[in-house]
Every structure is written in C-alpha cells, then in structure tokens.
Amino acid sequence: MDFSLTKEQEMIKKLAGQFALEVLETVAAELDESHTFPIENFKKMAALGFTGIGVPREYGGTGGGAIEEVIAVNEFAKKCMSSSAILSIHLIAPHAINKFGNEEQKQKYLPRLTKGGELGAFALTEPNAGSDAGAVKTVAILDEDTNEYVINGTKCFISGGSRADILTLFALTQPEKGLKGMSAIIIEKGTPGFSIGKIESKMGLAGSETAELIFEDCRVPASNLLGKEGQGFKIAMQALDGARIGTGAQAVGVAEGALDLSVKYAKERVQFGKPIGTLQGIQWYIADMATKTESAKMLVYYAAYLKDAGKAHTKESAMCKLNASENARHVTNMALQIHGGYGYMKDYPLERMYRDAKITEIYEGTSEIHKVVIAREVMK
Ligand code: COS
C-alpha cells in the first residue's frame, strides 16, 4: 500500500497551496463580510487548470481524477472555504457531462467549463425536494412540434446558480413516473424563461452565492438532454457520489486550516507565564484535532481512490463526507476554544471557519441522509 503522491500530484498540491496562500486567503475575510462571489478568482482557477480537473485534455480539461480534485479542494479550503466550495461544486457539471454526455455535448460544453472559465452548477434541490431528492416537481415536457423541452418550476439553494453559465438541471420529463421520470438537462444562462430569484443570506460560506432559479416556459432544445430520458435520478445520485468526496475534502481542509492556526497560537500565546501549548489541556485538544483530521483525510482519499479505480464508492463517499464534516465542526469548535475571546472576534478567521465548516454537514446531503445511504449499503 503506497500513501505517497505522484510527482504530478505533488505539483498540483504545491500550486494549489501557493494559490490559496497568495490569492484566496487575502480575500477570504472580505468575501465573508461583503457576501461577494469571487468571479475573478474563479477565472484565475480556470487559467491555472483547476476547473478542468477530472476532464480529459482533449476536451480542454487537465486530466487527473478524484485524487487530484481532493488535493486542490483541500488546499483551497485551508485558506478559504467559499473558494474551495466554488471549485468543488463547479466540477460536478463538467464531470456529469463528461460521464453522461454524448460526443457533441462534450465538445460543446466541456472546453467552456474547463479552460474557458465558465462556471457550472448542479440544480437538483427544490423547496419540497431536499433530502427527498426524488420529490422534484419541476417539469420539462417535450414539445414534439419544435423538439424542445418546456421547463416550468423552481429550484432553490443552488450553489453558484446565480452566476453559473452552464447548469445541469433535474426535471420530470414524464411526471406520472415520479423519480423514474426524472431527466437531466443542460441549460445555459440567459435562456429565455430562466431567471434568478432570491439570493440567500447565509450563516457562512458567504462567498459562494446560493440562489433560487425560476423556470417559466423556458425552452431548451431536446438535444440538451444528458443521458437518456428517465435516467436523471441515477445521474444525480452518481454525480453526488463523486461530489461528496469533494465536500469531504473541503471539510478536511477547513479542519487542517483551523489546526494550523491553533498550533501557532498555542505556541505564541502566553498565560500563567508560559505558552498555553505547554498546558496538557491544550495539548489534548491539539491531539484530538490532529487525530480526527488525519483519519478523516484517510477516508476521503480512500473514497477518491475507489472512484478513480472505477470501483463502487457510494458507501465510502457517504462515509467520508459524514465523518469529515462532523470532524470539521468539532475541530473548528476546538480551535475557536483554544483562541478564547480572540477566536470569537471577527479580527481572527476562526469564527468564519466555524460557520463555514457547518455547511459541510448539510449540503450535498445531510449527515442523516448519509447514515441512510451507509446503512443501506452495509445491509445490502
Ligand atoms: N448510484 C446509482 N443509482 C442510485 C444511487 C447511486 N448512488 N442511489 C440510488 N440509486 C438508484 C436506486 O438503485 C434506484 O434505482 P432502481 O429503482 O432501478 O433500483 C433509484 O435510484 C431510486 O433509489 P432509492 O429507492 O434509494 O431512492 P430514495 O427516494 O429512497 O432516495 C436517497 C435515496 C435518500 C439516497 C436520495 O434521495 C438522496 O441522496 N437524497 C439526498 C439528496 C441530496 O444529497 N441533496 C443535496 C442537494 S444537491 S447539493
């Protein structure tokens, strides 16, 4: 068993770490304060090849797979969770098109979503279809005269949805069949009948815009169907199996960032005449944080390895996301505690990291849903 990274993976780690330090960290607090989506930084990610990870070079991507995605997302999250979420969530669209799209769709959309710097989004959730993703009500009915789908419905909580250029939308093409009548459709920004509704004000992850998307008699060519009619739910589930590894990588990253800051602070902060890091109470915190983070990381890498090896990874992706997200909440909480009053102040990044970490227990499927998925897989 070899745990070392390849030369190329080491290079990605170095580049991502440098970019996170020099570009992402400098704006992290400001994005959080101003609730601004860092579109310019997203373009820079594209120029460096991060937005094409997992997409073959012939379609404008940078190759690699889940391991490379984990490395980049993880490095970004150490410094700015919003930016890491933006990359991780963006990648769902090109990965879904790469896996389920036909040749024409791949050639049309992938170069734009990779080196082209266009943003992708994944539009599944609706007001009454959150954990119960199969309860989607948005419809896409084929108009046989024009060979277009006519889409009507509302999506909510769509990360990056207000900024996305190309979205994978999940809608019922045969509503009478329920989730078996769900299909995946590619839709572009600016399509008549597609508008942006409410932009949410959130507890954390403020740099990643979360939006309501409204479809009113929105027409898209039938050729935008991704995969086959009725395959939509399975496409969504498989896309989430991959995306949850990315969320695990975000969670590990924010925990590592919080641990790094805590170690530094514990060495520098003097109380009772000595650095607080010499106190056993603080050392126990640090030991717990490091152990939780390292074990979470192992599970994330294992799930990524399985995905890249083309092996089943539904269970491991759910496990790594469940474990890493709960760990991130614990670790950022302990880090905040070590920093005491300073941790609670906005002058320090800990309170932001704590708020940002919380979302990893909710989006891409709640912890409770992951337990359902894991139990089903274990008891198969
Ligand atoms: N990969 C491939 N197929 C899958 C799958 C997966 N990971 N998970 C389920 N399926 C298939 C099932 O095999 C079943 O197909 P058949 O009828 O042919 O056997 C079909 O999809 C329906 O699956 P199931 O009966 O398990 O659906 P449920 O309605 O019980 O829902 C859960 C399954 C709860 C797992 C699903 O709704 C879910 O993941 N919810 C959370 C959604 C989420 O993560 N939202 C976040 C928003 S996106 S940011």
Side-chain angles (χ1 to χ4, degrees):
M1 197 177 294
D2 184 2
F3 286 99
S4 54
L5 300 179
T6 63
K7 255 192 188 153
E8 195 165 68
Q9 289 165 345
E10 287 288 4
M11 274 166 56
I12 294 170
K13 188 172 158 71
K14 194 168 167 213
L15 183 66
Q18 211 172 342
F19 181 69
L21 184 69
E22 290 168 7
V23 179
L24 304 181
E25 188 176 35
T26 52
V27 294
E30 184 191 322
L31 301 183
D32 182 57
E33 271 300 305
S34 61
H35 291 232
T36 312
F37 188 96
I39 195 70
E40 286 313 315
N41 283 351
F42 179 76
K43 305 270 182 215
K44 288 180 190 165
M45 288 179 203
L48 290 169
F50 292 116
T51 60
I53 292 177
V55 176
R57 292 180 196 274
E58 63 192 287
Y59 300 116
T62 34
I67 300 267
E68 285 72 12
E69 176 180 345
V70 164
I71 291 170
V73 168
N74 186 243
E75 289 299 316
F76 287 10
K78 288 180 189 172
K79 305 295 182 192
C80 177
M81 259 288 279
S82 287
S83 301
S84 86
I86 287 168
L87 175 64
S88 181
I89 293 162
H90 156 79
L91 286 172
I92 309 175
H95 291 175
I97 294 173
N98 186 44
K99 182 160 187 189
F100 299 102
N102 56 36
E103 192 52 36
E104 197 184 321
Q105 289 168 338
K106 288 185 194 186
Q107 287 191 13
K108 181 171 178 189
Y109 295 110
L110 291 179
R112 289 168 55 188
L113 283 165
T114 52
K115 62 181 181 191
E118 295 194 21
L119 181 71
F122 181 79
L124 173 65
T125 302
E126 295 184 4
N128 293 312
S131 288
D132 185 6
V136 158
K137 290 283 175 284
T138 295
V139 291
I141 306 299
L142 189 66
D143 177 343
E144 285 179 0
D145 294 335
T146 61
N147 207 26
E148 291 170 321
Y149 286 111
V150 185
I151 305 170
N152 279 287
T154 301
K155 296 286 172 183
C156 68
F157 300 164
I158 307 304
S159 302
S162 46
R163 302 286 184 142
D165 302 285
I166 297 163
L167 300 98
T168 43
L169 172 82
F170 295 87
L172 302 177
T173 45
Q174 291 165 293
E176 68 287 355
K177 291 190 178 171
L179 66 76
K180 289 198 186 302
M182 192 188 293
S183 300
I185 294 170
I186 302 168
I187 181 154
E188 294 194 45
K189 179 162 117 181
T191 305
F194 168 25
S195 60
I196 310 298
K198 185 182 176 206
I199 308 286
E200 302 294 342
S201 174
K202 309 190 294 284
M203 169 182 168
L205 216 68
S208 153
E209 241 167 55
T210 302
E212 179 185 51
L213 310 180
I214 301 162
F215 300 90
E216 292 165 310
D217 289 332
C218 172
R219 288 177 170 266
V220 295
S223 58
N224 282 25
L225 178 72
L226 193 59
K228 296 198 179 101
E229 273 208 8
Q231 262 189 350
F233 190 75
K234 289 189 183 182
I235 291 177
M237 291 299 111
Q238 287 181 48
L240 285 170
D241 282 345
R244 288 166 179 164
I245 303 173
T247 312
Q250 291 168 44
V252 169
V254 72
E256 285 180 311
L259 174 60
D260 290 347
L261 290 171
S262 301
V263 169
K264 185 170 180 287
Y265 187 78
K267 286 181 180 170
E268 288 170 1
R269 172 74 170 162
V270 173
Q271 291 287 276
F272 307 107
K274 52 190 175 189
I276 61 169
T278 60
L279 302 171
Q280 207 175 46
I282 299 295
Q283 290 173 359
W284 285 13
Y285 273 148
I286 299 282
D288 280 347
M289 291 159 78
T291 307
K292 279 176 183 293
T293 303
E294 205 57 32
S295 55
K297 195 172 190 168
M298 288 296 122
L299 203 41
V300 168
Y301 272 96
Y302 181 53
Y305 153 78
L306 290 175
K307 180 166 186 268
D308 285 346
K311 297 184 178 176
H313 55 279
T314 299
K315 180 182 73 184
E316 291 76 8
S317 117
M319 281 176 166
C320 85
K321 198 270 196 187
L322 170 69
N323 181 53
S325 61
E326 289 186 346
N327 168 67
R329 177 168 50 77
H330 283 301
V331 170
T332 52
N333 183 36
M334 284 190 257
L336 203 152
Q337 194 67 20
I338 288 173
H339 283 73
Y342 291 109
Y344 201 69
M345 301 302 152
K346 292 219 174 237
D347 291 341
Y348 283 72
L350 270 309
E351 63 82 32
R352 183 186 76 242
M353 293 167 109
Y354 179 68
R355 287 185 284 108
D356 286 349
K358 178 62 199 172
I359 189 59
T360 60
E361 290 184 298
I362 298 170
Y363 72 1
E364 313 286 6
T366 61
S367 295
E368 293 71 21
I369 282 297
H370 285 92
K371 288 180 189 176
V372 170
V373 172
I374 295 163
R376 282 185 187 180
E377 292 291 320
V378 171
M379 296 167 78
K380 247 180 188 173

